């Protein structure tokens, strides 16, 4: 009697992980939340691009503030999309994601 024969009868084969392109899943952003978050990311990127077009300004304080806010909004919304649409959400756990 071989060891392999004994173990083959009692162990179950491992289930394969479903193949997801780029590890993407839409399980955590369903319904209207995904299009709204994608639109927010696109619009904040558009705001960053529009701000970079400005060549001259007289009082640049407001423009620099707008640049900071639009760039921060783009990076944070992109981060949220990456966390909720990839396996990072399961890796970190729901409580840690909500805490952050």
């Amino acid at each position: 009697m071989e060891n392999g024969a004994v173990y083959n009868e009692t162990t179950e084969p491992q289930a394969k992980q479903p193949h997801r392109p780029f590890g993407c899943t839409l399980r955590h952003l369903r319904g209207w939340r995904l299009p709204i978050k994608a639109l927010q990311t696109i619009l904040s990127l558009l705001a960053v691009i529009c701000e970079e077009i400005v060549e001259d300004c007289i009082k640049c304080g407001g423009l620099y503030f707008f640049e900071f806010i639009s760039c921060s909004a783009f990076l944070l919304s992109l981060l949220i999309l990456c966390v909720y649409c990839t396996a990072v959400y399961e890796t970190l756990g729901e409580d840690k994601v909500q805490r952050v």
Side-chain angles (χ1 to χ4, degrees):
M1 187 179 231
E2 282 184 27
N3 288 340
V6 173
Y7 291 117
N8 284 337
E9 293 174 5
T10 58
T11 56
E12 296 180 18
Q14 290 183 342
K16 291 185 178 181
Q17 294 287 338
H19 178 67
R20 296 178 281 186
F22 303 110
C24 292
T25 179
L26 301 179
R27 186 172 30 179
H28 304 292
L29 282 178
R30 292 185 184 196
W32 57 271
R33 292 176 68 199
L34 179 63
I36 293 296
K37 190 52 68 178
L39 182 65
Q40 178 185 4
T41 306
I42 292 169
L43 289 177
S44 58
L45 176 63
L46 182 65
V48 171
I49 292 171
C50 288
E51 184 276 327
E52 290 298 326
I53 292 174
V54 176
E55 293 179 9
D56 296 338
C57 63
I58 297 172
K59 295 183 179 180
C60 297
L63 185 65
Y64 294 147
F65 181 71
F66 178 74
E67 177 183 11
F68 171 74
I69 295 299
S70 60
C71 186
S72 298
F74 172 68
L75 293 175
L76 288 174
S77 60
L78 191 63
L79 176 68
I80 289 171
L81 273 177
C82 289
V83 167
Y84 279 97
C85 293
T86 60
V88 173
Y89 188 85
E90 285 92 11
T91 304
L92 293 177
E94 184 178 350
D95 57 333
K96 288 185 182 178
V97 170
Q98 289 180 358
R99 199 175 331 149
V100 169

